[in-house]
Short mmCIF file of all heavy atoms in Angstrom, two decimals:
data_model
loop_
_atom_site.label_atom_id
_atom_site.label_comp_id
_atom_site.label_asym_id
_atom_site.label_seq_id
_atom_site.Cartn_x
_atom_site.Cartn_y
_atom_site.Cartn_z
N MET A 82 5.80 -15.35 -8.23
CA MET A 82 6.30 -13.97 -7.92
C MET A 82 5.19 -12.96 -8.01
O MET A 82 4.49 -12.94 -9.04
CB MET A 82 7.47 -13.64 -8.86
CG MET A 82 8.21 -12.43 -8.28
SD MET A 82 9.77 -11.99 -9.02
CE MET A 82 10.72 -13.53 -8.94
N PRO A 83 4.91 -12.18 -7.05
CA PRO A 83 3.83 -11.23 -7.10
C PRO A 83 4.10 -10.03 -8.05
O PRO A 83 5.21 -9.56 -8.17
CB PRO A 83 3.70 -10.61 -5.64
CG PRO A 83 5.05 -10.90 -5.03
CD PRO A 83 5.62 -12.12 -5.77
N PHE A 84 3.08 -9.67 -8.80
CA PHE A 84 3.23 -8.63 -9.81
C PHE A 84 2.67 -7.29 -9.20
O PHE A 84 1.51 -7.24 -8.78
CB PHE A 84 2.48 -8.99 -11.07
CG PHE A 84 2.47 -7.92 -12.13
CD1 PHE A 84 3.76 -7.55 -12.67
CD2 PHE A 84 1.36 -7.27 -12.52
CE1 PHE A 84 3.73 -6.55 -13.73
CE2 PHE A 84 1.41 -6.31 -13.49
CZ PHE A 84 2.60 -5.93 -14.14
N LYS A 85 3.48 -6.26 -9.18
CA LYS A 85 3.01 -4.97 -8.54
C LYS A 85 2.99 -3.89 -9.61
O LYS A 85 4.07 -3.34 -9.85
CB LYS A 85 3.89 -4.63 -7.40
CG LYS A 85 3.74 -5.57 -6.17
CD LYS A 85 4.63 -5.06 -5.04
CE LYS A 85 5.92 -5.82 -4.92
NZ LYS A 85 6.85 -5.33 -3.92
N PRO A 86 1.93 -3.63 -10.15
CA PRO A 86 1.80 -2.65 -11.31
C PRO A 86 2.13 -1.25 -10.93
O PRO A 86 2.67 -0.52 -11.76
CB PRO A 86 0.41 -2.86 -11.85
CG PRO A 86 -0.36 -3.46 -10.73
CD PRO A 86 0.58 -4.28 -9.83
N ALA A 87 1.75 -0.80 -9.73
CA ALA A 87 1.83 0.59 -9.41
C ALA A 87 3.05 0.87 -8.60
O ALA A 87 3.13 1.83 -7.88
CB ALA A 87 0.56 1.03 -8.63
N ASP A 88 4.08 0.08 -8.81
CA ASP A 88 5.26 0.21 -7.91
C ASP A 88 6.40 0.94 -8.54
O ASP A 88 7.50 0.97 -7.87
CB ASP A 88 5.70 -1.23 -7.52
CG ASP A 88 6.53 -1.24 -6.20
OD1 ASP A 88 6.26 -0.32 -5.35
OD2 ASP A 88 7.36 -2.09 -6.00
N ASN A 89 6.23 1.42 -9.68
CA ASN A 89 7.39 2.16 -10.33
C ASN A 89 7.67 3.45 -9.53
O ASN A 89 6.71 4.22 -9.28
CB ASN A 89 7.12 2.45 -11.78
CG ASN A 89 7.42 1.25 -12.65
OD1 ASN A 89 8.47 0.71 -12.52
ND2 ASN A 89 6.49 0.99 -13.50
N PRO A 90 8.85 3.81 -9.20
CA PRO A 90 9.21 5.05 -8.58
C PRO A 90 8.86 6.23 -9.49
O PRO A 90 8.97 6.09 -10.66
CB PRO A 90 10.72 4.96 -8.25
CG PRO A 90 11.20 3.90 -9.18
CD PRO A 90 10.04 2.96 -9.54
N LYS A 91 8.56 7.29 -8.87
CA LYS A 91 8.23 8.57 -9.70
C LYS A 91 9.39 9.46 -9.73
O LYS A 91 10.13 9.65 -8.76
CB LYS A 91 7.07 9.27 -9.03
CG LYS A 91 5.78 8.54 -8.98
CD LYS A 91 5.04 8.59 -10.40
CE LYS A 91 3.65 8.09 -10.33
NZ LYS A 91 3.57 6.63 -10.13
N CYS A 92 9.66 10.01 -10.89
CA CYS A 92 10.75 10.92 -11.06
C CYS A 92 10.36 12.19 -10.32
O CYS A 92 9.36 12.80 -10.56
CB CYS A 92 10.98 11.20 -12.58
SG CYS A 92 12.06 12.54 -12.94
N PRO A 93 11.30 12.72 -9.47
CA PRO A 93 10.95 13.95 -8.64
C PRO A 93 10.85 15.23 -9.60
O PRO A 93 10.28 16.20 -9.23
CB PRO A 93 12.14 14.12 -7.76
CG PRO A 93 12.90 12.86 -7.83
CD PRO A 93 12.56 12.21 -9.10
N LYS A 94 11.47 15.17 -10.76
CA LYS A 94 11.47 16.27 -11.68
C LYS A 94 10.18 16.44 -12.46
O LYS A 94 9.59 17.44 -12.47
CB LYS A 94 12.70 16.05 -12.66
CG LYS A 94 12.90 17.24 -13.51
CD LYS A 94 13.97 18.17 -12.93
CE LYS A 94 14.32 19.18 -13.87
NZ LYS A 94 15.31 20.19 -13.30
N CYS A 95 9.69 15.36 -13.09
CA CYS A 95 8.52 15.41 -13.92
C CYS A 95 7.36 14.69 -13.36
O CYS A 95 6.25 14.79 -13.92
CB CYS A 95 8.82 14.96 -15.32
SG CYS A 95 9.21 13.16 -15.43
N GLY A 96 7.54 13.89 -12.29
CA GLY A 96 6.42 13.17 -11.72
C GLY A 96 5.98 11.95 -12.41
O GLY A 96 4.97 11.35 -11.98
N LYS A 97 6.66 11.51 -13.44
CA LYS A 97 6.31 10.31 -14.14
C LYS A 97 7.11 9.09 -13.70
O LYS A 97 8.19 9.25 -13.14
CB LYS A 97 6.43 10.49 -15.66
CG LYS A 97 5.49 11.53 -16.20
CD LYS A 97 5.74 11.70 -17.76
CE LYS A 97 4.83 12.88 -18.27
NZ LYS A 97 5.45 13.54 -19.35
N SER A 98 6.51 7.91 -13.93
CA SER A 98 7.20 6.68 -13.53
C SER A 98 8.54 6.56 -14.22
O SER A 98 8.74 6.91 -15.34
CB SER A 98 6.39 5.43 -13.91
OG SER A 98 5.10 5.53 -13.24
N VAL A 99 9.47 6.06 -13.42
CA VAL A 99 10.84 5.84 -13.95
C VAL A 99 11.05 4.25 -14.06
O VAL A 99 10.86 3.52 -13.11
CB VAL A 99 11.90 6.36 -12.97
CG1 VAL A 99 13.26 6.16 -13.56
CG2 VAL A 99 11.71 7.85 -12.77
N TYR A 100 11.45 3.86 -15.27
CA TYR A 100 11.67 2.41 -15.49
C TYR A 100 13.16 2.15 -15.39
O TYR A 100 14.04 3.12 -15.65
CB TYR A 100 11.14 1.99 -16.86
CG TYR A 100 9.64 2.19 -16.89
CD1 TYR A 100 9.11 3.32 -17.50
CD2 TYR A 100 8.80 1.20 -16.35
CE1 TYR A 100 7.75 3.57 -17.49
CE2 TYR A 100 7.50 1.39 -16.27
CZ TYR A 100 6.86 2.53 -16.93
OH TYR A 100 5.57 2.81 -16.94
N ALA A 101 13.52 0.94 -15.11
CA ALA A 101 14.97 0.58 -14.85
C ALA A 101 15.84 0.99 -15.95
O ALA A 101 16.98 1.39 -15.68
CB ALA A 101 14.98 -0.92 -14.60
N ALA A 102 15.39 0.88 -17.19
CA ALA A 102 16.27 1.13 -18.36
C ALA A 102 16.70 2.57 -18.44
O ALA A 102 17.73 2.91 -18.98
CB ALA A 102 15.59 0.77 -19.63
N GLU A 103 15.92 3.50 -17.82
CA GLU A 103 16.23 4.92 -17.93
C GLU A 103 16.54 5.59 -16.59
O GLU A 103 16.55 6.75 -16.48
CB GLU A 103 15.04 5.68 -18.63
CG GLU A 103 13.72 5.44 -17.85
CD GLU A 103 12.52 5.93 -18.62
OE1 GLU A 103 12.74 6.45 -19.72
OE2 GLU A 103 11.41 5.91 -18.06
N GLU A 104 16.74 4.81 -15.54
CA GLU A 104 16.80 5.43 -14.22
C GLU A 104 18.23 5.89 -13.94
O GLU A 104 19.18 5.33 -14.40
CB GLU A 104 16.31 4.46 -13.17
CG GLU A 104 17.40 3.39 -12.80
CD GLU A 104 16.87 2.49 -11.70
OE1 GLU A 104 15.70 2.25 -11.53
OE2 GLU A 104 17.80 1.89 -11.04
N ARG A 105 18.24 7.00 -13.14
CA ARG A 105 19.50 7.47 -12.61
C ARG A 105 19.17 7.65 -11.08
O ARG A 105 18.11 8.18 -10.74
CB ARG A 105 19.91 8.78 -13.18
CG ARG A 105 20.48 8.72 -14.52
CD ARG A 105 21.87 8.23 -14.58
NE ARG A 105 22.46 8.24 -15.92
CZ ARG A 105 22.20 7.21 -16.85
NH1 ARG A 105 21.47 6.18 -16.51
NH2 ARG A 105 22.80 7.28 -17.95
N VAL A 106 20.05 7.27 -10.17
CA VAL A 106 19.77 7.31 -8.76
C VAL A 106 20.61 8.33 -8.09
O VAL A 106 21.85 8.43 -8.29
CB VAL A 106 19.97 5.97 -8.11
CG1 VAL A 106 19.66 6.03 -6.65
CG2 VAL A 106 19.19 4.89 -8.78
N ALA A 107 19.98 9.28 -7.33
CA ALA A 107 20.74 10.31 -6.53
C ALA A 107 19.90 10.57 -5.33
O ALA A 107 18.70 10.77 -5.40
CB ALA A 107 20.99 11.49 -7.30
N GLY A 108 20.52 10.64 -4.16
CA GLY A 108 19.83 10.96 -2.96
C GLY A 108 18.74 10.05 -2.58
O GLY A 108 17.77 10.45 -1.93
N GLY A 109 18.82 8.75 -3.03
CA GLY A 109 17.82 7.81 -2.75
C GLY A 109 16.59 7.97 -3.64
O GLY A 109 15.56 7.24 -3.45
N LEU A 110 16.61 8.91 -4.65
CA LEU A 110 15.48 9.10 -5.55
C LEU A 110 15.90 8.58 -6.88
O LEU A 110 17.09 8.52 -7.25
CB LEU A 110 15.15 10.57 -5.61
CG LEU A 110 14.73 11.21 -4.32
CD1 LEU A 110 14.81 12.70 -4.36
CD2 LEU A 110 13.38 10.78 -3.86
N LYS A 111 14.83 8.25 -7.70
CA LYS A 111 15.14 7.77 -9.04
C LYS A 111 14.65 8.83 -10.07
O LYS A 111 13.55 9.28 -9.97
CB LYS A 111 14.47 6.44 -9.32
CG LYS A 111 15.16 5.37 -8.39
CD LYS A 111 14.70 3.97 -8.79
CE LYS A 111 15.47 2.96 -7.94
NZ LYS A 111 15.07 1.56 -8.30
N TRP A 112 15.50 9.17 -10.98
CA TRP A 112 15.28 10.16 -12.01
C TRP A 112 15.33 9.56 -13.42
O TRP A 112 16.11 8.65 -13.65
CB TRP A 112 16.33 11.26 -11.89
CG TRP A 112 16.57 11.68 -10.44
CD1 TRP A 112 17.18 11.02 -9.48
CD2 TRP A 112 16.27 12.98 -9.87
NE1 TRP A 112 17.26 11.74 -8.32
CE2 TRP A 112 16.77 12.94 -8.56
CE3 TRP A 112 15.63 14.14 -10.35
CZ2 TRP A 112 16.59 14.01 -7.68
CZ3 TRP A 112 15.50 15.20 -9.56
CH2 TRP A 112 15.97 15.20 -8.18
N HIS A 113 14.66 10.18 -14.35
CA HIS A 113 14.94 9.81 -15.78
C HIS A 113 16.26 10.30 -16.12
O HIS A 113 16.75 11.35 -15.67
CB HIS A 113 13.82 10.57 -16.67
CG HIS A 113 12.49 9.98 -16.42
ND1 HIS A 113 11.45 10.78 -15.95
CD2 HIS A 113 11.95 8.76 -16.65
CE1 HIS A 113 10.31 10.13 -15.89
NE2 HIS A 113 10.61 8.87 -16.32
N LYS A 114 16.84 9.56 -17.08
CA LYS A 114 18.14 9.98 -17.67
C LYS A 114 18.04 11.44 -18.12
O LYS A 114 18.92 12.24 -17.91
CB LYS A 114 18.35 9.05 -18.81
CG LYS A 114 19.84 8.86 -19.12
CD LYS A 114 20.13 7.59 -19.92
CE LYS A 114 19.12 7.34 -21.08
NZ LYS A 114 19.50 6.09 -21.84
N MET A 115 16.94 11.80 -18.84
CA MET A 115 16.78 13.12 -19.45
C MET A 115 16.38 14.13 -18.35
O MET A 115 16.41 15.35 -18.63
CB MET A 115 15.70 13.08 -20.47
CG MET A 115 16.16 12.26 -21.76
SD MET A 115 17.84 12.54 -22.31
CE MET A 115 17.69 14.26 -22.85
N CYS A 116 15.95 13.74 -17.22
CA CYS A 116 15.59 14.78 -16.10
C CYS A 116 16.73 14.88 -15.18
O CYS A 116 16.67 15.70 -14.19
CB CYS A 116 14.34 14.22 -15.31
SG CYS A 116 12.85 14.15 -16.34
N PHE A 117 17.80 14.12 -15.41
CA PHE A 117 18.95 14.11 -14.51
C PHE A 117 19.93 15.25 -14.82
O PHE A 117 20.98 14.99 -15.33
CB PHE A 117 19.63 12.74 -14.57
CG PHE A 117 20.41 12.39 -13.35
CD1 PHE A 117 19.77 11.97 -12.17
CD2 PHE A 117 21.79 12.43 -13.29
CE1 PHE A 117 20.47 11.63 -10.97
CE2 PHE A 117 22.52 12.04 -12.20
CZ PHE A 117 21.89 11.66 -11.01
N LYS A 118 19.39 16.45 -14.58
CA LYS A 118 20.28 17.55 -14.88
C LYS A 118 20.18 18.64 -13.81
O LYS A 118 19.34 18.70 -12.97
CB LYS A 118 19.91 18.12 -16.28
CG LYS A 118 18.41 18.51 -16.49
CD LYS A 118 18.28 18.85 -17.94
CE LYS A 118 16.76 19.06 -18.18
NZ LYS A 118 16.52 19.33 -19.65
N CYS A 119 21.15 19.53 -13.91
CA CYS A 119 21.35 20.54 -12.90
C CYS A 119 20.13 21.53 -12.91
O CYS A 119 19.77 22.01 -14.02
CB CYS A 119 22.66 21.33 -13.08
SG CYS A 119 22.93 22.70 -11.98
N GLY A 120 19.67 21.88 -11.78
CA GLY A 120 18.45 22.83 -11.67
C GLY A 120 18.90 24.25 -11.94
O GLY A 120 17.97 25.09 -12.12
N MET A 121 20.16 24.55 -11.98
CA MET A 121 20.60 25.87 -12.17
C MET A 121 21.15 26.12 -13.63
O MET A 121 20.72 27.00 -14.35
CB MET A 121 21.63 26.25 -11.17
CG MET A 121 21.08 26.62 -9.82
SD MET A 121 22.29 27.00 -8.58
CE MET A 121 22.74 28.72 -9.09
N CYS A 122 22.08 25.28 -14.00
CA CYS A 122 22.66 25.46 -15.37
C CYS A 122 22.11 24.50 -16.38
O CYS A 122 22.52 24.59 -17.57
CB CYS A 122 24.21 25.42 -15.25
SG CYS A 122 24.85 23.74 -14.87
N GLN A 123 21.23 23.58 -16.00
CA GLN A 123 20.59 22.65 -16.92
C GLN A 123 21.56 21.66 -17.58
O GLN A 123 21.23 21.03 -18.51
CB GLN A 123 19.82 23.42 -18.05
CG GLN A 123 18.79 24.38 -17.50
CD GLN A 123 17.84 23.75 -16.58
OE1 GLN A 123 17.25 22.76 -16.82
NE2 GLN A 123 17.50 24.39 -15.39
N LYS A 124 22.76 21.54 -17.00
CA LYS A 124 23.69 20.59 -17.60
C LYS A 124 23.27 19.17 -17.26
O LYS A 124 22.82 18.92 -16.17
CB LYS A 124 25.08 20.88 -17.00
CG LYS A 124 26.26 20.18 -17.65
CD LYS A 124 27.55 20.68 -17.11
CE LYS A 124 27.89 20.11 -15.76
NZ LYS A 124 29.37 19.92 -15.61
N LEU A 125 23.40 18.28 -18.24
CA LEU A 125 23.04 16.90 -17.97
C LEU A 125 24.09 16.28 -17.15
O LEU A 125 25.33 16.51 -17.28
CB LEU A 125 23.04 16.10 -19.30
CG LEU A 125 21.64 15.98 -20.01
CD1 LEU A 125 21.77 15.21 -21.33
CD2 LEU A 125 20.55 15.39 -19.12
N LEU A 126 23.63 15.56 -16.15
CA LEU A 126 24.57 15.04 -15.10
C LEU A 126 24.66 13.48 -15.12
O LEU A 126 23.86 12.85 -15.81
CB LEU A 126 24.09 15.38 -13.69
CG LEU A 126 23.90 16.86 -13.48
CD1 LEU A 126 23.18 17.10 -12.13
CD2 LEU A 126 25.15 17.62 -13.58
N ASP A 127 25.71 12.95 -14.46
CA ASP A 127 25.72 11.52 -14.23
C ASP A 127 26.10 11.31 -12.75
O ASP A 127 26.27 12.33 -12.00
CB ASP A 127 26.73 10.84 -15.10
CG ASP A 127 28.14 11.28 -15.07
OD1 ASP A 127 28.57 11.44 -13.92
OD2 ASP A 127 28.72 11.56 -16.12
N SER A 128 26.17 10.12 -12.37
CA SER A 128 26.31 9.81 -10.85
C SER A 128 27.62 10.36 -10.32
O SER A 128 27.71 10.50 -9.13
CB SER A 128 26.17 8.30 -10.64
OG SER A 128 27.04 7.55 -11.50
N THR A 129 28.59 10.75 -11.17
CA THR A 129 29.84 11.16 -10.66
C THR A 129 29.84 12.62 -10.38
O THR A 129 30.70 13.14 -9.58
CB THR A 129 31.01 10.83 -11.58
OG1 THR A 129 30.85 11.47 -12.81
CG2 THR A 129 31.09 9.27 -11.72
N ASN A 130 29.08 13.44 -11.12
CA ASN A 130 29.09 14.94 -10.94
C ASN A 130 27.80 15.58 -10.38
O ASN A 130 27.63 16.75 -10.54
CB ASN A 130 29.61 15.57 -12.23
CG ASN A 130 28.58 15.43 -13.38
OD1 ASN A 130 27.56 14.77 -13.21
ND2 ASN A 130 28.94 15.98 -14.46
N CYS A 131 26.88 14.76 -9.87
CA CYS A 131 25.65 15.25 -9.34
C CYS A 131 25.70 15.47 -7.82
O CYS A 131 26.38 14.83 -7.19
CB CYS A 131 24.50 14.39 -9.73
SG CYS A 131 24.48 12.87 -8.81
N SER A 132 24.88 16.46 -7.41
CA SER A 132 24.66 16.64 -5.98
C SER A 132 23.14 16.84 -5.83
O SER A 132 22.54 17.77 -6.44
CB SER A 132 25.39 17.88 -5.44
OG SER A 132 26.73 17.65 -5.49
N GLU A 133 22.58 15.99 -4.98
CA GLU A 133 21.11 16.17 -4.68
C GLU A 133 20.91 16.93 -3.44
O GLU A 133 21.61 16.84 -2.45
CB GLU A 133 20.54 14.68 -4.54
CG GLU A 133 19.04 14.62 -4.32
CD GLU A 133 18.60 14.81 -2.97
OE1 GLU A 133 19.41 14.58 -2.02
OE2 GLU A 133 17.45 15.06 -2.72
N HIS A 134 19.94 17.91 -3.49
CA HIS A 134 19.65 18.72 -2.37
C HIS A 134 18.15 18.84 -2.23
O HIS A 134 17.54 19.52 -2.97
CB HIS A 134 20.35 20.06 -2.47
CG HIS A 134 20.25 20.90 -1.18
ND1 HIS A 134 21.29 20.91 -0.23
CD2 HIS A 134 19.28 21.65 -0.71
CE1 HIS A 134 20.87 21.65 0.75
NE2 HIS A 134 19.65 22.21 0.47
N GLU A 135 17.56 18.18 -1.18
CA GLU A 135 16.13 18.26 -0.89
C GLU A 135 15.28 18.09 -2.13
O GLU A 135 14.43 18.89 -2.41
CB GLU A 135 15.77 19.57 -0.18
CG GLU A 135 16.52 19.62 1.16
CD GLU A 135 16.14 20.95 1.92
OE1 GLU A 135 15.56 21.83 1.25
OE2 GLU A 135 16.54 21.07 3.05
N GLY A 136 15.60 16.99 -2.89
CA GLY A 136 14.73 16.66 -4.08
C GLY A 136 15.09 17.42 -5.31
O GLY A 136 14.40 17.29 -6.30
N GLU A 137 16.12 18.25 -5.26
CA GLU A 137 16.60 18.94 -6.45
C GLU A 137 18.03 18.51 -6.79
O GLU A 137 18.81 18.25 -5.95
CB GLU A 137 16.55 20.44 -6.27
CG GLU A 137 15.24 21.04 -6.42
CD GLU A 137 15.37 22.54 -6.70
OE1 GLU A 137 15.54 22.94 -7.83
OE2 GLU A 137 15.17 23.32 -5.67
N LEU A 138 18.30 18.46 -8.08
CA LEU A 138 19.63 18.08 -8.57
C LEU A 138 20.41 19.28 -8.95
O LEU A 138 19.94 20.26 -9.56
CB LEU A 138 19.50 17.14 -9.76
CG LEU A 138 19.30 15.68 -9.52
CD1 LEU A 138 19.29 15.01 -10.81
CD2 LEU A 138 20.38 15.12 -8.63
N PHE A 139 21.71 19.28 -8.67
CA PHE A 139 22.63 20.33 -9.09
C PHE A 139 23.92 19.63 -9.52
O PHE A 139 24.23 18.54 -9.02
CB PHE A 139 22.91 21.24 -7.87
CG PHE A 139 21.76 21.98 -7.38
CD1 PHE A 139 21.08 21.53 -6.28
CD2 PHE A 139 21.23 23.11 -8.07
CE1 PHE A 139 19.92 22.14 -5.78
CE2 PHE A 139 20.09 23.77 -7.56
CZ PHE A 139 19.49 23.23 -6.40
N CYS A 140 24.67 20.31 -10.38
CA CYS A 140 26.00 19.84 -10.63
C CYS A 140 26.86 20.25 -9.46
O CYS A 140 26.47 21.13 -8.68
CB CYS A 140 26.52 20.38 -11.94
SG CYS A 140 26.72 22.09 -11.97
N LYS A 141 28.03 19.67 -9.40
CA LYS A 141 28.97 20.00 -8.25
C LYS A 141 29.26 21.46 -8.16
O LYS A 141 29.29 22.09 -7.09
CB LYS A 141 30.29 19.19 -8.43
CG LYS A 141 30.01 17.67 -8.13
CD LYS A 141 30.46 17.27 -6.79
CE LYS A 141 30.75 15.80 -6.64
NZ LYS A 141 29.48 15.06 -6.43
N VAL A 142 29.40 22.12 -9.33
CA VAL A 142 29.82 23.51 -9.39
C VAL A 142 28.72 24.40 -8.80
O VAL A 142 28.89 25.19 -7.97
CB VAL A 142 30.16 23.93 -10.87
CG1 VAL A 142 30.44 25.46 -10.92
CG2 VAL A 142 31.31 23.12 -11.32
N CYS A 143 27.49 24.22 -9.30
CA CYS A 143 26.33 25.02 -8.91
C CYS A 143 26.00 24.68 -7.49
O CYS A 143 25.61 25.61 -6.72
CB CYS A 143 25.14 24.72 -9.78
SG CYS A 143 25.27 25.36 -11.43
N HIS A 144 26.12 23.42 -7.07
CA HIS A 144 25.85 23.10 -5.65
C HIS A 144 26.79 23.78 -4.71
O HIS A 144 26.36 24.40 -3.72
CB HIS A 144 25.89 21.54 -5.47
CG HIS A 144 25.46 21.10 -4.07
ND1 HIS A 144 26.28 21.05 -3.00
CD2 HIS A 144 24.22 20.77 -3.71
CE1 HIS A 144 25.60 20.58 -1.95
NE2 HIS A 144 24.31 20.44 -2.33
N ALA A 145 28.06 23.83 -5.11
CA ALA A 145 29.01 24.53 -4.25
C ALA A 145 28.76 26.03 -4.23
O ALA A 145 28.91 26.73 -3.22
CB ALA A 145 30.42 24.25 -4.83
N ARG A 146 28.34 26.59 -5.37
CA ARG A 146 28.02 28.00 -5.41
C ARG A 146 26.77 28.41 -4.62
O ARG A 146 26.77 29.46 -3.96
CB ARG A 146 27.76 28.34 -6.96
CG ARG A 146 28.08 29.74 -7.34
CD ARG A 146 28.01 29.89 -8.83
NE ARG A 146 29.25 29.45 -9.49
CZ ARG A 146 29.40 29.32 -10.81
NH1 ARG A 146 28.32 29.58 -11.60
NH2 ARG A 146 30.52 28.93 -11.30
N LYS A 147 25.84 27.51 -4.65
CA LYS A 147 24.53 27.80 -4.00
C LYS A 147 24.59 27.56 -2.48
O LYS A 147 24.02 28.28 -1.70
CB LYS A 147 23.45 27.04 -4.64
CG LYS A 147 22.02 27.39 -4.31
CD LYS A 147 21.01 26.67 -5.20
CE LYS A 147 19.66 26.76 -4.67
NZ LYS A 147 18.96 27.97 -5.02
N PHE A 148 25.26 26.46 -2.11
CA PHE A 148 25.23 25.99 -0.71
C PHE A 148 26.57 26.08 -0.07
O PHE A 148 26.70 25.63 1.09
CB PHE A 148 24.78 24.57 -0.65
CG PHE A 148 23.36 24.44 -1.27
CD1 PHE A 148 23.22 23.81 -2.52
CD2 PHE A 148 22.17 24.94 -0.64
CE1 PHE A 148 21.95 23.69 -3.14
CE2 PHE A 148 20.96 24.84 -1.23
CZ PHE A 148 20.76 24.19 -2.47
N GLY A 149 27.61 26.54 -0.74
CA GLY A 149 28.89 26.71 -0.12
C GLY A 149 29.69 25.44 -0.13
O GLY A 149 30.25 25.03 0.87
ZN1 ZN B 1146 11.43 12.67 -15.20
ZN1 ZN B 1147 24.90 23.44 -12.64
#
């Protein structure tokens, strides 16, 4: 099995590698558990209440408020 050292996805929020143990997936991007929060109210999110918009994360409430 080939070993690919530089293949870890980068977190869009902080730019660091995301490992499987701490990943959260939204909008086809992988985020750290601790970076997976709303860009407006800073609330920590999970896959059920997040909305991704052009590489930024929002909670459902802020997303609705910002984008209708
Ligand atoms: Zn991060
Ligand atoms: Zn929010």
